[in-house]
Amino acid sequence: MFEIIKSGGILMAPILLCSVIAFAIIVERYWALRKSKVSPKDQLPQVWAIIKQNKMDGNRLKELRASSYLGQILAAGLANSKLGRDAMKDSIEEAASHVAHDMERFLSTLGTIAMIAPLVGLLGTVFGMIEVFSAIMVQGTGNAGVLAGGISKALITTAAGLSVAIPAVIFHRALLRRVDELLVTMEQECIKLVDVLHGDRAVANSKGEKK
């Protein structure tokens, strides 16, 4: 394997670097985007229980904000819940945009690697073919072994670039899909909180007016 990498020339170095960075991003993002970390399924019931007990204060909001991405969005909405339904929804949407940006961290880098890795490989192949034609000019076309070896060497970088780019494209799309699914789930949870919180207040206000 080392001999194959070595025979690919100097452009194998950036391709290998791209492979290491892509692998690190994929592992880190899958770890960071675990559903249990992003949107724990029992978090909304816990928040609603605290609200019903009138124990939602500044410290609770701080803890909620630091607990998960969903907690961060819920905390933003609860901090402005007394300003009305529309203000609460606006705060949630603003927090959700920041959360989406954080969840997509490094994915643009992964997408860039998926684009440039085959181009770097193709560039290495072009350089290799230039060397092959230079050898033809010096030795002629009589030495088939030299020509075959030169062409094989030239194609190594293209193969390496594609080997990095193909998994990078697959995981880039898969991670973007994962982010979208998690955002939809969190949006649904937040809508539940807004509806329940302001629905109860609306009912209470209507009862007060009737009295």
Side-chain angles (χ1 to χ4, degrees):
M1 179 63 71
F2 178 75
E3 290 299 324
I4 294 175
I5 293 173
K6 184 178 179 181
S7 65
I10 191 171
L11 287 177
M12 286 296 290
I15 293 175
L16 288 174
L17 179 61
C18 285
S19 69
V20 171
I21 294 173
F23 179 76
I25 291 173
I26 291 167
V27 172
E28 188 276 337
R29 283 294 85 192
Y30 267 107
W31 179 257
L33 296 176
R34 304 188 315 276
K35 190 170 183 179
S36 60
K37 178 179 175 62
V38 174
S39 178
K41 64 178 182 179
D42 59 342
Q43 188 158 42
L44 184 59
Q46 291 175 356
V47 169
W48 181 237
I50 294 172
I51 292 172
K52 288 197 295 185
Q53 296 170 8
N54 293 320
K55 293 182 179 180
M56 186 59 71
D57 53 17
N59 290 330
R60 294 275 189 175
L61 284 176
K62 187 176 180 181
E63 292 174 2
L64 179 61
R65 190 176 291 110
S67 63
S68 66
Y69 284 129
L70 175 59
Q72 186 175 334
I73 299 173
L74 292 174
L78 289 172
N80 295 278
S81 61
K82 294 181 180 179
L83 300 178
R85 183 188 184 93
D86 292 338
M88 187 177 181
K89 290 183 69 176
D90 290 341
S91 299
I92 286 173
E93 291 174 359
E94 183 178 354
S97 66
H98 290 294
V99 165
H101 182 268
D102 288 342
M103 291 173 66
E104 292 176 357
R105 184 183 303 170
F106 306 130
L107 293 188
S108 61
T109 302
L110 183 61
T112 301
I113 289 173
M115 292 177 61
I116 67 172
L119 296 178
V120 175
L122 180 61
L123 181 60
T125 296
V126 171
F127 286 160
M129 294 304 294
I130 291 173
E131 292 180 5
V132 169
F133 284 113
S134 297
I136 291 175
M137 291 177 62
V138 174
Q139 301 182 20
T141 58
N143 194 338
V146 173
L147 296 180
I151 293 172
S152 175
K153 177 181 176 181
L155 293 175
I156 287 174
T157 52
T158 293
L162 290 174
S163 298
V164 173
I166 292 172
V169 170
I170 293 171
F171 282 105
H172 179 254
R173 292 184 180 276
L175 286 167
L176 285 177
R177 177 66 177 173
R178 190 179 187 88
V179 169
D180 289 340
E181 290 175 351
L182 289 170
L183 286 173
V184 169
T185 300
M186 289 190 289
E187 181 182 358
Q188 291 172 345
E189 295 290 280
C190 292
I191 290 174
K192 289 178 184 177
L193 179 63
V194 173
D195 289 341
V196 172
L197 186 61
H198 285 279
D200 279 4
R201 288 182 178 177
V203 171
N205 290 335
S206 63
K207 288 181 178 179
E209 289 175 359
K210 289 178 180 180
K211 292 179 180 180

